[in-house]
């Protein structure tokens, strides 16, 4: 198993639209394992392949308190949305230390495949629904801060720039 490098915003590679997974082979299962290990180590509750510079439609999620309920979604599609849209606080391993509210569907039905290529459907609400929508945005090249106002986005970019310069000086 291996820890993968997580791309940091702003990085143009975070805007690449991922292509469908077509081969359900050992390479894919190794990628799933490495992504899960990277997510748990971060720590985070989700990770999209885009964030580790692999532009294929694959996400891993574990929103359990016990970190033992890994969910893998390959070629995920939202096939139904219901309930009110709600603002929930989000974070992102590609945008460290930024937590902002984003409006999302409160209840979704997802169709996806598992690591063996078997198709399944799942209804999700709460944190799982938020996380699936956030990770699926990554597969479409969208980072959650892009839902925020231009002013907030520019403040975030300024803050990230200052942090990077400080890290560079201290390196
Ligand atoms: O970068 C990512 O896409 C992962 C992201 C997922 C997410 C979190 C919250 C709302 C929407 C999507 C994270 O995991 S950020 C880190 C985080 O939220 C967390 C870290 C440790 C414990 C609990 C949560
Ligand atoms: Zn993210």
């Amino acid at each position: 198993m291996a820890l993968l490098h997580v791309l940091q915003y702003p990085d143009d590679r975070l805007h690449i639209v991922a292509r469908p997974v077509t081969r359900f082979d050992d390479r894919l299962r190794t990628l799933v394992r490495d992504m899960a290990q990277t997510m748990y180590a971060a720590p985070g509750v989700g990770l999209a392949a885009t964030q580790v510079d692999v532009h294929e439609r694959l996400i891993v999620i574990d929103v359990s308190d016990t970190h033992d309920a890994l969910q893998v979604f390959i070629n995920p599609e939202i096939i139904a949305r219901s309930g009110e849209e709600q603002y929930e606080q989000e974070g992102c391993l590609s945008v460290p230390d930024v937590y902002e509210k984003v409006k999302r569907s409160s209840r979704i039905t997802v169709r996806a495949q598992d690591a063996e290529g078997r198709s399944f459907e799942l209804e999700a609400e709460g944190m799982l629904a938020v996380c699936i929508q956030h990770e699926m945005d990554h597969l479409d090249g969208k980072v959650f801060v892009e839902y925020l106002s231009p002013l907030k986005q520019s403040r975030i970019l300024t803050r990230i720039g200052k942090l990077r310069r400080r890290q560079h000086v201290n390196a």
Side-chain angles (χ1 to χ4, degrees):
M1 285 209 271
L3 285 185
L4 306 172
H5 173 71
V6 178
L7 298 177
Q8 299 296 295
Y9 181 84
D11 185 315
D12 286 346
R13 291 169 291 180
L14 287 168
H15 297 124
I16 296 173
V17 178
R19 59 188 172 272
V21 170
T22 52
R23 285 191 195 169
F24 294 82
D25 55 8
D26 285 348
R27 184 201 69 93
L28 180 72
R29 285 181 279 276
T30 300
L31 176 60
V32 168
R33 273 205 304 277
D34 290 348
M35 282 177 57
Q37 196 192 14
T38 304
M39 173 188 74
Y40 287 124
V45 293
L47 191 67
T50 306
Q51 293 176 275
V52 295
D53 204 17
V54 175
H55 302 284
E56 297 177 35
R57 303 190 80 80
L58 156 61
I59 65 182
V60 295
I61 291 179
D62 187 345
V63 293
S64 72
D65 292 333
T66 42
H67 304 179
D68 60 356
L70 181 69
Q71 291 177 287
V72 178
F73 299 85
I74 297 171
N75 299 325
E77 293 169 74
I78 296 178
I79 56 171
R81 294 175 189 269
S82 60
E84 303 259 306
E85 287 195 314
Q86 283 175 350
Y87 280 97
E88 295 291 346
Q89 187 105 321
E90 299 192 12
C92 183
L93 300 176
S94 296
V95 197
D97 301 323
V98 173
Y99 293 89
E100 293 284 348
K101 287 197 167 186
V102 173
K103 197 176 177 188
R104 306 271 189 195
S105 303
S106 57
R107 196 183 265 258
I108 56 173
T109 306
V110 187
R111 181 182 295 145
Q113 287 164 280
D114 66 17
E116 311 300 328
R118 291 179 293 243
S119 189
F120 65 92
E121 285 183 17
L122 176 103
E123 272 188 36
E125 57 185 352
M127 185 60 187
L128 180 58
V130 171
C131 201
I132 291 171
Q133 290 172 84
H134 175 112
E135 302 308 336
M136 285 183 66
D137 272 350
H138 277 304
L139 302 181
D140 288 329
K142 185 153 184 163
V143 181
F144 84 113
V145 293
E146 289 157 5
Y147 286 107
L148 306 177
S149 68
L151 177 63
K152 274 195 172 171
Q153 290 188 46
S154 108
R155 284 181 176 158
I156 288 166
L157 283 169
T158 305
R159 180 142 47 101
I160 290 171
K162 280 184 186 160
L163 268 172
R164 300 262 157 89
R165 277 194 291 281
R166 213 178 299 151
Q167 282 163 355
H168 187 70
V169 167
N170 292 332

